[in-house]
């Protein structure tokens, strides 16, 4: 009888130990799952895919928020009422500047204030007039797209722009292609007629329609050739 009680006691103790272990494992699994979920949320929120991503690095997310990384100065310029958008101009491959390389690339001619978007077969997909910098802040050479932002804020916070494709690093900020900036009231800070002449404080301005073409073409690491 005593032996039976001892056996039952051991059985109960064994069952109780198993139950405690199961409970501990259950809590441990819950804690592990909670840790994993928290880590995933943190990566999504603060990693290169989230809204807090550092866009001065390799960022390529069209949903990125407004970023202070433009270099256009509105203070010395007059606002221009928005006008109708115009399309890029037809051209042939013979119009591409000489010694601009071959293959898939973007070519920017500083002296001509013109851009060519060229496919892998050396066929010109689009070409149009642009407005580059009023100063000599960009040297001829070969570059690569290293950052993109769907929206950006001009240096000093006076203007905003869209479809920003960065390929060079200037003294004060990054240099790239984007649409003509607008002021706080939504007015463009230069006219379409002024395209083809240097107007900016650093970047290369485009019509919105052309900026969209550039945005679709110039993905990360796309080659950009700058000629004088």
């Amino acid at each position: 009888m005593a032996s039976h009680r001892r056996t039952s006691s051991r059985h109960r103790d064994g069952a109780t130990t198993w139950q405690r272990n199961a409970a501990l494992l259950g809590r441990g699994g819950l804690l592990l799952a909670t840790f994993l979920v928290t880590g995933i949320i943190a990566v999504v929120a603060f990693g290169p895919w989230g809204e807090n991503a550092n866009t001065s690095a390799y960022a390529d997310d069209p949903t990125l928020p407004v970023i202070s990384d433009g270099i256009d100065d509105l203070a010395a310029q007059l606002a221009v009422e928005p006008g109708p958008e115009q399309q890029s101009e037809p051209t042939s491959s013979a119009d591409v500047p000489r010694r601009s390389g071959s293959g898939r690339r973007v070519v920017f001619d500083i002296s001509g204030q013109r851009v060519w978007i060229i496919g892998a077969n050396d066929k010109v997909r689009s070409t149009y007039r642009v407005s580059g910098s009023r100063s000599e802040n960009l040297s001829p050479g070969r570059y690569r797209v290293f950052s993109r932002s769907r929206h950006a804020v001009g240096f000093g916070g006076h203007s905003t722009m869209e479809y920003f494709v960065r390929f060079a690093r200037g003294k004060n900020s990054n240099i790239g292609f984007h649409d003509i900036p607008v002021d706080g009231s939504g007015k463009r800070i230069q006219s379409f007629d002024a395209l083809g002449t240097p107007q900016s404080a650093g970047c290369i301005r485009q019509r919105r329609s052309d900026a969209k073409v550039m945005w679709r073409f110039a993905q990360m690491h796309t080659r950009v050739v700058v000629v004088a």
Side-chain angles (χ1 to χ4, degrees), residues 7 12 26 32 111 154 200 217 225:
T7 301
R12 286 196 301 272
L32 178 61
S111 59
S200 82
F217 180 85
V225 180

Side-chain angles (χ1 to χ4, degrees), residues 149-163:
S149 296
R150 176 65 178 78
H151 300 277
V153 176
F155 185 73
H158 300 293
S159 60
T160 60
M161 64 280 297
E162 298 187 47
Y163 305 102

